[in-house]
Amino acid sequence: MTDPQLVLAEGVQRALAAAFGPEYAAEDPLIRPSQFADYQANVAMSLARRLGRAPREVAQVIADHIDIPGTVQISGPGFVNLTLADGWLAAQAAEQLADERLGVATEAQQTVVIDYSAPNAAKEMHVGHLRTTVVGDALVRVQEHLGHHVIRQNHLGDWGTPFGMLIEHLLDMGEEAAVAQLSAGEGNVYYQAARAKFDGDPDFSKRAKARVVTLQAEDPETMRLWHIFMNATIRYFNKVYTQLGVTLRDEDIAGESRYNAMLGQVCDDLQKRGIAVLSDGALCVFPPGFTGRENLPLPFMIRKSDGGYGYATTDLATIRHRVQDLKADRITYVIGATQALHMQMLFASARLAGWLPDEVRAEHVQIGSVLGSDGKMFKTRAGKSIKLLELLEEGEARAAAVVADRAYDEATRAEIAHAVGMGAIKYADLSVSHDSEYVFDFDRMLALTGNTGPYLQYATARIRSIFRRGEYDPAETRGPILLGHPAERALALQLLGFGAVVSEVGAASAPHRLCAYLFDTASAFTTFYDNCPVLKAGSEEDRQSRLALAALTLRVLTQGLDLLGIEVPERM
RNA sequence: GCGCCCAUAGCUCAGCCGGAUAGAGCAUCGGACUUCUAAUCCGACGGUCGGGGGUUCGAAUCCCUCUGGGCGCGCCA
């Protein structure tokens, strides 16, 4: 099974080498989708100057030397238009159908650490956490599918000064009542109550501060209370994960507390080696190239003047652990865009320290802020908090309303409602580029028309319906595939691009490109569906061919949606 | 003050390793159901790609500048 773009790129490269010499064999042929052909190569124009020849002439020479399974045409200032032969496309599509991996190549295995979700137990969990969770989980699925060894890391906020008041509040409430509230997802209420007492009750804040000290010292009774608090909170996180179909497990939790014991050593080591220096009593790294006010070097503070540690220290300890112990080749942080400066300084400091070697790729997949319908930063305000589980339930309820009049039984309807509701919410998060801001809008994310999860799910349901009605098995179709109608040809060409898109999504950590591809694929299919009767095809050959195209589409859509973490119901 | 990000159709967004008349969804308007699920499809309407300058055969894309937003900038995480 070969990717058309790859075949064409190699064809052009061979032509370049044959025409201009072997040093041009590695030249990027600049293959792009074309409105006048299947693809076009733009390399003739970029090469013209270097070769000292007219662009059109270069294009002609390429065309003269090219050997591809299709036709070549030169147009415009020097575009090389490439059109693949129908027979070749049909044969490739048949191969793709026979290929378990649908043309997705397995890459040389790397160990990829992906840091995502990471809700903070001492802060309100909000819709922004949904996004890093959903995007991170999609990246995990893509990397695993590409053959990499993926290590999920859920870097929970589970340590630090706020836990003093959280533990004291637990004592005030009583353990059972506190656990019930926390695991029910009422963390906001709990946190706000603790905060209010901390701010308004001097006796309470005194106790809370004292509790921080015993927590830092890992006093057994304090640790017991901390565990009670965290276990209840994690139970709530797991409810959200389960409901969403997120692959995070308890063993993926590697919260801040995990690194607590290493912080002193991290600071000592950096100070000893002169990488960190004291400044106004605080221990700081000043990575080169970062300046702030007055053009002064920006500090990456790893120990406060009172001896306490912040998240900079923890993050350094974490990066060291991931490289040295987890043997990461690549570390992906799926974290809010507002942290961009911190992440840059973290990477720079870790490189300085030698804990992040050049061979290890560290990337910050910036998650854009979640905005309210007013266009401002979405934040839960007192009394107006949106509980995540309720939000997910509302998604399901809205989806259920749409299938309410279907003749399915109760259980089937519930399954559909779940898949469609979660699919809608997740797809909304995934289909816009991860770093752009995201306007939170119930109606839009739950809309069942247009570029949405449900539209894609619906396409798969219609395909299954064809097979059900005709009593065929998608797994049994073999073709051969014939591309007589333009809609069939367009669909085949579209399907063959699957492998390229998946590897691109992995390389660039950009799941929205997979969404765009799947949407285009579903569109190509519905056009085919409208124009090319499958069961009522004019001939047995056409019927078998169209069944094969439908089966291939079904598998590509299902696989693609699975990589995004979106389930497909059998029927809708 | 300094740094980063953003500005594309009425709305929500793609496109940004430079390439042909800038795309999609929603909305609006007009068509298509005795037909494999019409939750669909086809068509129309709609943009000085925030302004200006530059590089280039060619700029939404690269560089400079201005305007308007957002975020961050030493003891929260």
Side-chain angles (χ1 to χ4, degrees), chain A residues 166-473:
Chain A
L166 295 173
I167 290 171
E168 283 304 316
H169 184 56
L170 183 129
L171 286 172
D172 288 2
M173 275 187 82
E175 293 177 16
E176 267 185 49
V179 165
Q181 188 176 61
L182 289 166
S183 45
E186 304 281 340
N188 289 357
V189 176
Y190 183 100
Y191 176 80
Q192 280 163 10
R195 181 87 229 172
K197 278 196 288 182
F198 187 84
D199 291 336
D201 180 348
D203 177 57
F204 180 85
S205 73
K206 200 173 152 190
R207 277 159 50 207
K209 283 171 187 165
R211 185 61 74 178
V212 175
V213 176
T214 59
L215 181 69
Q216 299 288 5
E218 301 195 16
D219 159 67
E221 172 60 9
T222 301
M223 289 306 289
R224 186 184 73 82
L225 296 167
W226 176 84
H227 277 294
I228 290 171
F229 175 86
M230 281 311 301
N231 286 341
T233 304
I234 288 168
R235 205 170 307 154
Y236 162 63
F237 293 157
N238 283 337
K239 276 186 195 166
V240 174
Y241 296 152
T242 302
Q243 175 76 359
L244 269 176
V246 164
T247 60
L248 282 167
R249 301 280 160 79
D250 281 357
E251 54 265 34
D252 303 319
I253 292 174
E256 291 170 351
S257 61
R258 182 77 62 90
Y259 302 95
N260 187 43
M262 308 173 197
L263 304 183
Q265 190 212 336
V266 163
C267 290
D268 292 347
D269 182 53
L270 292 180
Q271 189 171 18
K272 204 179 305 168
R273 292 196 281 144
I275 291 162
V277 293
L278 283 170
S279 170
D280 292 338
L283 189 62
C284 303
V285 179
F286 291 92
F290 294 89
T291 52
R293 267 187 247 279
E294 319 288 312
N295 237 4
L296 292 172
L298 260 187
F300 191 63
M301 188 180 301
I302 59 173
R303 195 180 63 213
K304 299 186 282 183
S305 55
D306 68 0
Y309 304 106
Y311 73 150
T313 329
T314 312
D315 284 346
L316 276 175
T318 304
I319 224 168
R320 191 179 61 163
H321 171 247
R322 290 172 181 175
V323 172
Q324 292 180 2
D325 304 327
L326 301 180
K327 311 290 183 201
D329 296 304
R330 176 176 177 181
I331 310 175
T332 300
Y333 288 83
V334 188
I335 295 182
T338 58
Q339 298 294 322
L341 183 60
H342 168 76
M343 295 309 294
Q344 280 181 38
M345 295 185 75
L346 170 66
F347 294 159
S349 299
R351 299 248 184 240
L352 269 185
W355 294 337
L356 185 61
D358 291 342
E359 317 84 76
V360 178
R361 171 175 168 191
E363 62 177 337
H364 177 199
V365 176
Q366 303 191 23
I367 300 300
S369 302
V370 178
L371 308 179
S373 47
D374 56 357
K376 292 185 178 171
M377 192 81 101
F378 189 102
K379 271 176 184 155
T380 51
R381 298 191 190 88
K384 274 190 108 181
S385 59
I386 294 178
K387 295 189 192 69
L388 294 189
L389 280 172
E390 283 181 9
L391 178 134
L392 299 182
E393 278 159 18
E394 180 164 355
E396 263 190 47
R398 291 190 184 218
V402 178
V403 290
D405 60 342
R406 303 270 156 157
Y408 307 138
D409 60 76
E410 195 61 32
T412 305
R413 275 211 298 273
E415 269 179 44
I416 295 170
H418 177 74
V420 172
M422 294 309 99
I425 291 171
K426 294 176 90 169
Y427 192 85
D429 270 338
L430 291 163
S431 58
V432 294
S433 56
H434 60 74
D435 57 344
S436 68
E437 290 179 330
Y438 179 76
V439 176
F440 183 82
D441 183 334
F442 273 119
D443 291 329
R444 187 171 296 117
M445 74 170 64
L446 296 170
L448 302 179
T449 57
N451 184 12
T452 66
Y455 172 82
L456 299 180
Q457 292 168 320
Y458 179 55
T460 68
R462 291 170 105 188
I463 297 171
R464 286 204 162 97
S465 179
I466 295 172
F467 284 94
R468 229 180 354 255
R469 168 94 34 139
E471 297 183 344
Y472 289 101
D473 180 353

Side-chain angles (χ1 to χ4, degrees), chain A residues 512-528:
Chain A
H512 78 283
R513 294 190 194 173
L514 181 52
C515 293
Y517 169 82
L518 294 175
F519 178 68
D520 288 343
T521 304
S523 301
F525 176 77
T526 48
T527 302
F528 160 83

Side-chain angles (χ1 to χ4, degrees), chain A residues 80-142:
Chain A
V80 180
N81 291 341
L82 306 165
T83 303
L84 293 157
D86 292 358
W88 186 83
L89 281 177
Q92 295 307 307
E95 264 189 54
Q96 188 182 18
L97 181 65
D99 179 9
E100 258 182 44
R101 294 186 53 83
L102 294 167
V104 179
T106 303
E107 300 180 348
Q109 192 182 62
Q110 289 198 320
T111 295
V112 182
V113 170
I114 304 188
D115 181 322
Y116 69 109
S117 195
N120 195 320
K123 284 184 178 171
E124 303 162 8
M125 192 171 177
H126 58 83
V127 289
H129 291 106
L130 224 48
R131 202 176 180 199
T132 151
T133 304
V134 167
V135 171
D137 210 50
L139 294 177
V140 162
R141 290 163 184 266
V142 168

